[in-house]
Amino acid sequence: MAEEKNTCDEVIFDSETASTLVKDLRKNFLSGKTKSYEWRVEQLKSMLKMIDENEQEILDSLRIDLSKPQLEAFVSEVSLTKSACTVALKELKKWMKPEKVGTSLTTFPSSAEIVSEPLGVILIISAWNYPFLLSLDPVIGAIAAGNSMVLKPSEISPATSSLLKRYAEKYLDSSAIRVIEGAVPETSALLEQKWDKILYTGNGRVGRIVMAAAAKHLTPVVLELGGKSPVIVDSNIDLKVATRRIAAGKWGCNNGQACIAPDYIITTKSFAPKLIDAFKCTLEEFFGENQLESKDISRIVNSNHFARLEKFLDEDKVADKIVLGGKRDKTNLKIAPTILLDVPEDSLIMNEEIFGPLLPIVTVDKVEDSFDIIRSRSKPLAAYLFTNDKKLEKEFVSSISAGGMLINDTTLHLTVHTLPFGGVGESGTGAYHGKFSFDTFSHKKGVLYRGFQGDASARYPPYTPRKQRLLRALLNGDIFGVILALIGWSKS
């Protein structure tokens, strides 16, 4: 069992320790401190300060954990986290303001509003592939909504996990925001507790464990999972731009170790050779001829994931389908960008999320046939289409169910804070980013206001025939019937 150390003794983080932690956080939340606008702003500003003052150390930790290129780490982790924080600071007052809504004739005279209130004590379990962004982005939403919280970073990215704990204690309010490091025992101890909401980012197997634990307490859950995100490539496109954008979304995003990275391509049999030739040029332009030596490609996170990807490549019915790449460096946990053509439908690589630098191409007779392939599978976290055909684009959006979509590019929808980011079906449940993060960690409380005027006697017994006519007319929204009932007439 992993242990959490203090300056005196070694303290095991077990269920009892977790219970005490949650009680302390709940006591702090019930004091009302985290609900104030001032507290929320102070924490968000402190987080920005934390990032600005320690940017290089953050980038260094990402290099240690994933060999992430510095520019990629800055753009996809540091910059996006700062952007989420900045948006929350700019919009927070507006988000917190009650929303006025209309009322009905049956409550006249009255007014109504929707009040956003914090849920309480939140558990956030983050992932290893974007260990900084995927840890702090939901924390920003939980802070903005006024909650207390625990962040459990992934033990698979230990350098970033350690950094998050160290700097959270230094910059943030530790009476309301705690970081707990560890592995399965610590996570299990946390999951035994009663939370007001849990957000988990990771895979479906662990997602089921999280949901089962949450069900014991009727705790609502946001699951940010993944799946096999397809890319349909039509033939009427700018091929150079398309391959650059697909390559950037696949190999430029943590070398394919991203939940929204393209997982497989569908194109026509006649267009596939042109597409492969274009990829060959693009990959050489991006990463050189010896791509294993490129400093612009992340390594595979650990030996277990490396072995998993090798298993995909070495399967008998797949090994001869490689048309580009395929080189490996087991010592340095590197696999070159690899493209495979027409792998069998029942192969491992076509039935499990790849989460790595391997990209199969599936061919069809007509591009429209690709829709049936996607619909026959679990709903993906992302779906991409490259085309200049507006009719095909419209059919794609209306007929394919996915967490999110992007036309003529990949992965960039993640950066648009006005769009919800989340899955559907087995790719996840719930969404966050921007105001959606605030809403995810808030309860929308409906409030109706009435005075003492307009107290209609028809509401109360005894229910005479006249009162019944009036009530029926009111409930049916029949203004003419209401008038007739008030003056003692009936429609008959």
Side-chain angles (χ1 to χ4, degrees):
M1 179 179 288
E3 296 175 347
E4 186 178 288
K5 297 181 181 180
N6 63 22
T7 54
C8 301
D9 306 299
E10 291 187 352
V11 178
I12 296 174
F13 189 89
D14 56 12
S15 183
E16 186 178 344
T17 313
S19 176
T20 300
L21 170 63
V22 175
K23 285 176 183 175
D24 289 345
L25 290 172
R26 195 170 300 283
K27 182 179 178 182
N28 177 274
F29 172 75
L30 293 173
S31 75
K33 178 171 72 169
T34 65
K35 294 183 180 181
S36 75
Y37 173 77
E38 291 74 19
W39 182 88
R40 305 183 202 196
V41 166
E42 181 185 0
Q43 299 310 304
L44 293 172
K45 286 182 175 178
S46 294
M47 187 177 291
L48 276 179
K49 184 180 179 184
M50 177 187 81
I51 297 170
D52 286 336
E53 291 183 352
N54 303 282
E55 182 181 301
Q56 190 55 53
E57 191 174 348
I58 294 165
L59 297 175
D60 290 344
S61 71
L62 294 168
R63 168 67 72 173
I64 292 167
D65 284 333
L66 293 151
S67 191
K68 224 172 235 199
Q70 185 157 300
L71 181 61
E72 181 190 332
F74 174 78
V75 171
S76 63
E77 302 234 39
V78 173
S79 178
L80 285 179
T81 306
K82 287 178 68 174
S83 176
C85 216
T86 303
V87 168
L89 280 167
K90 180 183 176 184
E91 302 291 339
L92 184 56
K93 196 164 280 187
K94 187 196 303 182
W95 293 348
M96 290 176 67
K97 188 177 181 181
E99 177 190 352
K100 297 292 183 183
V101 292
T103 58
S104 64
L105 183 62
T106 54
T107 64
F108 179 85
S110 64
S111 63
E113 64 184 11
I114 300 170
V115 176
S116 295
E117 64 178 13
L119 289 170
V121 185
I122 309 297
L123 173 62
I124 295 166
I125 306 173
S126 66
W128 56 262
N129 58 327
Y130 287 85
F132 192 76
L133 173 69
L134 295 181
S135 292
L136 293 187
D137 199 349
V139 166
I140 290 165
I143 289 172
N147 298 280
S148 294
M149 71 214 68
V150 168
L151 166 65
K152 166 58 184 67
S154 173
E155 69 279 9
I156 298 177
S157 48
T160 309
S161 175
S162 175
L163 177 141
L164 286 166
K165 181 173 178 60
R166 191 165 65 253
Y167 285 128
E169 291 174 352
K170 180 178 178 181
Y171 288 89
L172 303 176
D173 180 359
S174 60
S175 69
I177 305 165
R178 294 288 302 276
V179 176
I180 300 299
E181 290 193 279
V184 173
E186 290 75 15
T187 305
S188 299
L190 289 168
L191 285 173
E192 288 176 19
Q193 312 311 313
K194 177 172 175 54
W195 305 89
D196 295 295
K197 195 156 200 177
I198 299 173
L199 184 145
Y200 166 74
T201 304
N203 61 62
R205 180 183 62 81
V206 178
R208 288 173 170 83
I209 295 171
V210 171
M211 185 168 269
K216 294 176 183 177
H217 302 287
L218 295 179
T219 298
V221 175
V222 177
L223 298 178
E224 294 296 338
L225 305 177
K228 298 185 73 63
S229 297
V231 186
I232 300 173
V233 180
D234 201 357
S235 58
N236 60 357
I237 58 170
D238 186 320
L239 192 52
K240 182 176 181 180
V241 171
T243 54
R244 287 165 68 92
R245 291 178 177 178
I246 295 170
K250 179 67 171 181
W251 299 287
C253 285
N254 203 24
N255 204 9
Q257 298 170 110
C259 56
I260 55 171
D263 193 274
Y264 64 101
I265 289 174
I266 309 174
T267 194
T268 60
K269 288 182 173 66
S270 59
F271 192 65
K274 295 179 183 176
L275 183 61
I276 292 166
D277 287 342
F279 269 123
K280 183 178 181 181
C281 295
T282 295
L283 290 171
E284 286 186 7
E285 176 192 348
F286 281 12
F287 308 117
E289 290 188 13
N290 190 348
Q291 289 148 20
L292 287 177
E293 294 182 359
S294 173
K295 297 186 184 304
D296 294 316
I297 295 183
S298 302
R299 65 169 167 79
I300 308 307
V301 65
N302 58 30
S303 57
N304 290 336
H305 281 276
F306 190 92
R308 178 182 60 82
L309 292 166
E310 280 200 307
K311 189 177 179 182
F312 288 161
L313 287 176
D314 293 339
E315 192 176 8
D316 287 342
K317 46 191 160 186
V318 171
D320 63 346
K321 301 295 184 180
I322 297 172
V323 292
L324 273 181
K327 292 182 180 178
R328 314 167 205 179
D329 178 353
K330 193 169 186 176
T331 303
N332 295 305
L333 299 178
K334 289 257 188 161
I335 298 178
T338 300
I339 295 177
L340 307 96
L341 181 63
D342 280 332
V343 296
E345 183 68 21
D346 62 348
S347 60
L348 288 174
I349 200 170
M350 288 305 298
N351 284 278
E352 296 181 20
E353 184 178 8
I354 295 170
F355 225 70
L358 320 179
L359 184 60
I361 296 177
V362 176
T363 59
V364 290
D365 293 324
K366 300 180 298 179
V367 72
E368 291 82 4
D369 296 339
S370 57
F371 292 173
D372 289 334
I373 293 175
I374 297 171
R375 286 193 292 252
S376 70
R377 297 174 166 274
S378 296
K379 296 176 181 180
L381 183 59
Y384 306 110
L385 169 67
F386 286 81
T387 188
N388 279 310
D389 185 336
K390 292 298 179 184
K391 183 180 177 184
L392 186 70
E393 181 182 305
K394 185 176 180 181
E395 186 180 351
F396 175 73
V397 173
S398 65
S399 67
I400 299 298
S401 181
M405 288 183 161
L406 185 48
I407 310 298
N408 294 328
D409 212 326
T410 62
T411 70
L412 284 184
H413 62 298
L414 176 80
T415 67
V416 182
H417 72 83
T418 52
L419 292 175
F421 179 75
V424 59
E426 290 193 20
S427 62
T429 179
Y432 70 120
H433 284 189
K435 188 174 185 292
F436 299 99
S437 293
F438 177 86
D439 291 342
T440 284
F441 296 113
S442 299
H443 167 60
K444 300 298 181 183
K445 182 168 62 180
V447 183
L448 182 68
Y449 297 94
R450 299 199 73 208
F452 290 98
Q453 296 76 34
D455 192 47
S457 61
R459 178 181 171 187
Y460 309 114
Y463 296 114
T464 63
R466 182 172 178 269
K467 284 183 179 180
Q468 290 185 48
R469 288 196 298 272
L470 179 58
L471 285 172
R472 285 179 178 275
L474 274 170
L475 295 173
N476 288 328
D478 180 1
I479 302 297
F480 182 61
V482 169
I483 294 171
L484 289 178
L486 287 172
I487 61 177
W489 292 2
S490 67
K491 282 187 173 181
S492 59

